[in-house]
Amino acid sequence: SQPLAGHQAAELQSKVVPSKQILHSDNMEMEPETMETKSVTDYFSKLHMGSLVYSCTSKRKSK
Amino acid sequence: RMEASCLELALEGERLCKAGDCRAGVSFFEAAVQVGTEDLRTLSAIYSQLGNAYFYLHEYAKALEYHHHDLTLARTIGDLLGEAKASGNLGNTLKVLGNFEEAIVCCQRHLDISRELNDKVGEARALYNLGNVYHSKGKNVASAGTHDPGELPDDVKSALQKAANYYEENLTIVTELSDRAAQGRAFGNLGNTHYLLGNFRSAVLAHEQRLLIAKEFGDRSAERRAYSNLGNAYIFLGEFETASEYYKRTLQLARQLKDRAVEAQACYSLGNTYTLLQDYEKAIDYHLKHLVIAQELNDKIGEGRACWSLGNAYTALGNHDQAIHFAERHLEISREVGDRSGELTARLNLSDLHMVLGLSYSTNTSMMSESHVVENSLNGTRPRVGRRHSMENMELMKLTPEKVQNWN
């Protein structure tokens, strides 16, 4: 059998497997996205708290 | 019997989403839309939350639909802040869908309105989003080729440079606002952008800041991300010992957090790092750990990679029986997943091993006779013995410290 000679070993590298396959680079860890948030309650507390709460509760009472 | 109002349904949807159950939240929001309301601000808030819930559920087409409704509504009622928010969310969604040009327009609108309203928090968030869009755009084009970090076409480089600039602008504002969490996010993504640009020293500096902030918050997921990214950067600085230390911390945290996929990735990175350090016993140890988890998770592509790596490491140690075993397994898996280049590599590896061990041994197996067919079909282009040592000649190794320094 034929041993692997040092000079042969250093000679070539695989051209078939792209470097990406052995690189770490395709596993970069990104930070999460930030989404903008809206809320129906924000809207109440800021704008119409008094009147809407009043109209809601009075509507319920009337039912 | 009193029926639930639109508002009540929406409030329940909000509660469920806040509790982390987006799937149930979506049902309530959709019911709220069915019931309907004449209050357009309430409807806008419902559309926005539906869009975000679908975004977190990775149903981006639905997310796009609802954020688009929200944007239209916000414009109709002249709610400028609402329009800014809807634009930002639409931009993030378009980015994930790969529509970078429209994403940029939307995120820019978010930025413009925030500046008009003198809303510093909104401005900073828009800058972060813009950075993310340009980063994704750059990475997307880059991944189409086979470049290593730092070797980039001009359009990729310019997109990544823009991303870096937006992250820097964001950092200026969130530092003024003393928003440490936002600083952490910006440092992390800035570090990854520098990494892709080949500025590995700058990447390390940014990820070190990210690590510091993650520790302040006791955010172990962010801490793990920082270790992993630091490991990657040190590989390209040629400092493999340091890289291995960071990957070990990644592995430790992945185990604590019980994230098997991340644990597998850390083992794989450690296997490759020890290969670069030419400590093949340790490389094999980690690649075997990676293999076990890949099998457990039924990750065929990961399993194929593990077998390929193990074949290389065993060859380096002169253990040809094990090398052949894993090369054969690599061939099987490559065929199973339809990976043509993997299949070819495995065949070539096998034929090399067969030459090393001598013809009498290998012609006994059917695998070998198949690889002869490939050899013939390759028409004399069959590489010589020695290609097997590809791991020693990994393209990483071209990055001598001198070359790296020129990039920084």
Side-chain angles (χ1 to χ4, degrees):
Chain A
S1 84
Q2 179 188 350
L4 281 171
H7 70 275
Q8 281 178 316
E11 200 173 358
L12 271 172
Q13 73 170 82
S14 173
K15 297 294 174 206
V16 181
V17 174
S19 60
K20 281 274 172 198
Q21 196 167 337
I22 41 174
L23 288 187
H24 307 60
S25 61
D26 53 358
N27 200 57
M28 208 163 41
E29 302 257 14
M30 294 298 287
E31 299 293 328
E33 276 110 355
T34 51
M35 302 301 280
E36 303 303 312
T37 53
K38 296 182 184 182
S39 152
V40 289
T41 49
D42 279 357
Y43 164 59
F44 283 137
S45 54
K46 277 180 198 154
L47 297 167
H48 298 272
M49 195 64 193
S51 61
L52 270 172
V53 167
Y54 175 76
S55 75
C56 282
T57 45
S58 59
K59 226 190 274 174
R60 276 189 201 187
K61 276 174 193 164
S62 68
K63 282 189 183 178
Chain B
R1 193 170 61 105
M2 190 183 76
E3 294 195 6
S5 70
C6 173
L7 184 64
E8 283 166 329
L9 290 164
L11 286 172
E12 182 60 9
E14 276 188 23
R15 192 190 65 75
L16 286 163
C17 285
K18 272 190 192 133
D21 190 352
C22 284
R23 181 58 67 194
V26 159
S27 310
F28 277 89
F29 283 128
E30 284 187 334
V33 172
Q34 283 296 310
V35 171
T37 173
E38 284 176 19
D39 187 280
L40 297 182
R41 284 175 186 264
T42 298
L43 192 57
S44 160
I46 293 171
Y47 283 151
S48 177
Q49 290 180 90
L50 258 173
N52 285 348
Y54 276 121
F55 187 93
Y56 292 126
L57 291 168
H58 303 283
E59 293 181 38
Y60 301 113
K62 283 272 190 188
L64 191 73
E65 188 186 323
Y66 284 111
H67 284 311
H68 200 264
H69 286 326
D70 182 28
L71 180 62
T72 309
L73 208 50
R75 281 187 183 154
T76 307
I77 58 181
D79 172 10
L80 207 53
L81 178 61
E83 183 183 340
K85 289 182 171 188
S87 301
N89 291 337
L90 195 56
N92 282 346
T93 311
L94 287 161
K95 176 201 71 178
V96 177
L97 288 167
N99 189 341
F100 302 117
E101 298 317 310
E102 279 189 58
I104 289 166
V105 173
C106 288
C107 292
Q108 185 65 48
R109 181 79 185 131
H110 183 197
L111 180 63
D112 292 343
I113 298 174
S114 299
R115 284 178 173 161
E116 198 179 317
L117 297 173
N118 204 18
D119 169 8
K120 280 284 171 191
V121 174
E123 183 182 351
R125 291 167 71 94
L127 289 165
Y128 176 72
N129 290 346
L130 270 167
N132 287 344
V133 177
Y134 278 106
H135 178 101
S136 291
K137 187 185 168 189
K139 194 159 57 180
N140 191 59
V141 182
S143 67
T146 52
H147 325 277
D148 291 329
E151 298 175 351
L152 303 167
D154 285 344
D155 52 339
V156 175
K157 205 176 267 183
S158 107
L160 292 172
Q161 194 53 58
K162 275 186 186 152
N165 294 345
Y166 281 119
Y167 290 135
E168 295 279 8
E169 263 192 271
N170 163 279
L171 270 170
T172 307
I173 298 177
V174 294
T175 305
E176 276 169 26
L177 297 170
S178 307
D179 183 346
R180 289 293 275 167
Q183 284 176 55
R185 285 191 295 270
F187 275 125
N189 286 351
L190 178 63
N192 285 335
T193 308
H194 279 310
Y195 172 82
L196 286 177
L197 281 165
N199 306 328
F200 301 113
R201 289 276 168 222
S202 308
V204 165
L205 288 176
H207 288 308
E208 279 172 352
Q209 289 302 309
R210 206 297 157 249
L211 179 60
L212 200 71
I213 296 169
K215 284 180 174 170
E216 271 173 37
F217 281 83
D219 180 346
R220 291 196 299 167
S221 295
E223 190 181 342
R224 189 197 55 67
R225 288 198 296 270
Y227 289 140
S228 171
N229 290 329
L230 280 163
N232 293 344
Y234 275 110
I235 286 285
F236 279 90
L237 286 169
E239 298 179 34
F240 307 136
E241 289 282 2
T242 313
S244 76
E245 289 309 311
Y246 281 118
Y247 286 137
K248 276 181 204 163
R249 294 196 185 184
T250 310
L251 179 58
Q252 214 175 11
L253 275 174
R255 283 176 177 160
Q256 281 176 25
L257 296 167
K258 303 202 186 310
D259 187 334
R260 292 291 271 171
V262 171
E263 189 181 340
Q265 178 61 42
C267 289
Y268 183 64
S269 297
L270 276 163
N272 287 337
T273 308
Y274 279 111
T275 302
L276 291 166
L277 285 164
Q278 301 189 355
D279 185 341
Y280 300 109
E281 276 93 356
K282 277 193 183 142
I284 287 168
D285 190 35
Y286 283 113
H287 280 310
L288 283 172
K289 288 188 169 93
H290 170 228
L291 177 64
V292 168
I293 304 175
Q295 284 169 339
E296 180 190 307
L297 300 178
N298 202 21
D299 169 14
K300 282 285 166 194
I301 296 186
E303 197 181 335
R305 279 185 192 192
C307 291
W308 182 72
S309 306
L310 282 162
N312 283 324
Y314 277 118
T315 303
L317 283 178
N319 186 339
H320 297 118
D321 290 343
Q322 285 293 343
I324 284 186
H325 168 76
F326 284 109
E328 284 179 347
R329 189 77 192 106
H330 181 211
L331 178 60
E332 264 173 62
I333 294 168
S334 300
R335 276 201 288 228
E336 226 177 296
V337 301
D339 173 5
R340 293 294 297 164
S341 75
E343 193 179 331
L344 196 57
T345 308
R347 284 179 190 277
L348 294 171
N349 283 347
L350 276 167
S351 68
D352 283 351
L353 282 162
H354 132 251
M355 271 183 62
V356 169
L357 292 182
L359 291 164
S360 58
Y361 172 84
S362 53
T363 43
N364 294 334
T365 71
S366 61
M367 209 70 90
M368 284 304 135
S369 35
E370 279 178 47
S371 78
H372 281 300
V373 175
V374 172
E375 281 166 36
N376 293 338
S377 72
L378 282 172
N379 210 9
T381 57
R382 200 186 73 78
R384 288 146 289 178
V385 174
R387 185 177 38 69
R388 292 285 309 148
H389 278 238
S390 57
M391 290 300 275
E392 285 176 13
N393 297 320
M394 272 163 58
E395 290 190 21
L396 297 178
M397 299 298 284
K398 290 193 301 193
L399 306 173
T400 57
E402 299 80 60
K403 187 176 174 188
V404 165
Q405 269 161 22
N406 291 336
W407 289 345
N408 286 346

